[in-house]
Amino acid sequence: MNHLKQLVGLPLVLVAILTFFSVMTSHFATAGNINAMLHAMAPLVIMSCGMALVVFSGKLDISIGSIAFLSATLAVLLINDHAVPPILAFLASLVAGIVLGALNGFIVVVLGVNALIATLGTMIALRGIALSLTGAVLIPLPTQVARLGNLTIGPLFADIVVLVLVVIAAHIVHRHTVFGRRLNAIGNGEDAARRIGLPVDRTVFASFVLSGFLAALGGIVALLQVGAISAYLGRGMEFTAVAVVVVGGISLFGGRGAILPGILLGAFIFEAIANGLNQMSANPYAYQLITGLIIFLAMYVDAMQHRRKAAVRTRR
């Protein structure tokens, strides 16, 4: 019931934001601007889907921005320095994301390190590796490859189509597969899940692998949008993804929430605020203040719901 109320409340918040900026600016509500916002938020949505799969199990993966950066760096270096065809370079980038996600899974599941601490360590280490490979300088893609970032399918940017496909696939995995049901069960009580014989370690490991894969895919999309690799690619994306997950109604305590429409609504709320404030020429720090307040409120609601749920369990 609480989750249902949150899903009902999210569209109302979004409608209020859209109405406000539509009144205050002249171009916010245009089809072109909406298309541009969806285009801009594509990498974030893709990476947030991977984050959500980990969060459902009660864990966190704050290394996704660094995985995106390192995977995209690998693709750029293969294309520029080794003349590898772009398709093969991007496939190698995705494989790298899978391997790095598996590394996180190994540290958390096999070595037993707390997920937050483990992924904090890999976040720092992987970004350091990528910075050393690039020399922390801007490395552009060849022009013909960079053009893929503005590729359109009909009136939509191609990465919007990728966004939609990823969200639908992640939603199906979570809601309609045994794997997704196991994630929820683990998030609602890992010890209980072990007692009833669920493969907890294998499931958690797989969630980190999927998170790494989607982080790499988001990194490729971000790379193509910019047309170059830079030290800023993916930086802070992990925390923005956590914010999207929380605002989208997915509990950080695990076992509760939905990717669709939660992730889409959460990401669009943040993008709409950034876009609207930019059109209003607002103070650049206003975005940080407003989004910080939204995140705080969402986490407060999540904490209250978790306490209420724990109290009900105790009474039973």
Side-chain angles (χ1 to χ4, degrees):
M1 182 62 70
N2 289 326
H3 173 58
L4 180 61
K5 289 179 180 177
Q6 196 163 0
L7 281 181
V8 172
L10 270 177
L12 294 179
V13 171
L14 182 57
V15 168
I17 291 172
L18 295 178
T19 302
F20 173 78
F21 286 122
S22 297
V23 171
M24 298 300 294
T25 67
S26 57
H27 301 290
F28 181 82
T30 61
N33 191 52
I34 299 297
N35 192 26
M37 283 193 286
L38 291 173
H39 173 55
M41 74 185 210
L44 174 61
V45 170
I46 293 169
M47 296 167 70
S48 295
C49 286
M51 173 72 80
L53 292 174
V54 174
V55 169
F56 284 129
S57 70
K59 304 289 191 294
L60 272 178
D61 182 0
I62 60 169
S63 68
I64 58 173
S66 296
I67 291 178
F69 182 29
L70 182 53
S71 299
T73 295
L74 176 63
V76 171
L77 295 180
L78 287 175
I79 293 171
N80 286 1
D81 296 347
H82 302 283
V84 174
I87 294 296
L88 294 180
F90 292 141
L91 285 175
S93 178
L94 294 176
V95 171
I98 291 172
V99 171
L100 296 174
L103 173 64
N104 282 334
F106 176 82
I107 296 172
V108 172
V109 173
V110 179
L111 301 185
V113 180
N114 176 275
L116 178 61
I117 302 302
T119 56
L120 174 63
T122 54
M123 176 187 77
I124 297 170
L126 298 180
R127 182 160 291 275
I129 293 171
L131 288 172
S132 66
L133 289 173
T134 61
V137 298
L138 186 76
I139 303 177
L141 285 167
T143 303
Q144 64 271 24
V145 179
R147 287 174 182 166
L148 295 174
N150 292 319
L151 184 68
T152 58
I153 300 176
L156 300 176
F157 287 101
D159 50 22
I160 297 177
V161 177
V162 175
L163 173 159
V164 172
L165 292 176
V166 168
V167 170
I168 291 174
H171 177 76
I172 291 173
V173 167
H174 175 235
R175 285 294 189 181
H176 302 288
T177 67
V178 173
F179 173 73
R181 289 191 287 272
R182 286 174 177 171
L183 285 177
N184 278 352
I186 294 167
N188 281 308
E190 186 172 321
D191 291 338
R194 290 185 187 277
R195 284 196 296 271
I196 63 176
L198 293 182
V200 172
D201 291 343
R202 189 165 71 240
T203 303
V204 171
F205 182 87
S207 71
F208 278 102
V209 171
L210 287 173
S211 179
F213 170 76
L214 291 176
L217 180 58
I220 291 172
V221 172
L223 169 67
L224 291 174
Q225 287 183 353
V226 177
I229 192 74
S230 76
Y232 294 98
L233 194 146
R235 193 169 75 175
M237 189 70 81
E238 49 278 319
F239 301 111
T240 308
V242 171
V244 167
V245 165
V246 175
V247 172
I250 297 172
S251 175
L252 285 182
F253 296 98
R256 189 174 71 246
I259 289 177
L260 193 63
I263 294 296
L264 282 179
L265 290 175
F268 198 73
I269 284 173
F270 285 112
E271 184 59 37
I273 292 172
N275 185 279
L277 290 175
N278 183 59
Q279 290 199 34
M280 290 175 62
S281 299
N283 187 312
Y285 300 111
Y287 173 75
Q288 297 177 3
L289 173 62
I290 294 172
T291 54
L293 289 173
I294 292 174
I295 293 168
F296 171 78
L297 290 174
M299 295 188 71
Y300 176 75
V301 170
D302 184 34
M304 291 299 100
Q305 291 178 355
H306 179 72
R307 290 179 187 174
R308 193 177 299 114
K309 188 176 180 181
V312 170
R313 287 178 176 174
T314 301
R315 286 196 297 269
R316 289 176 178 174

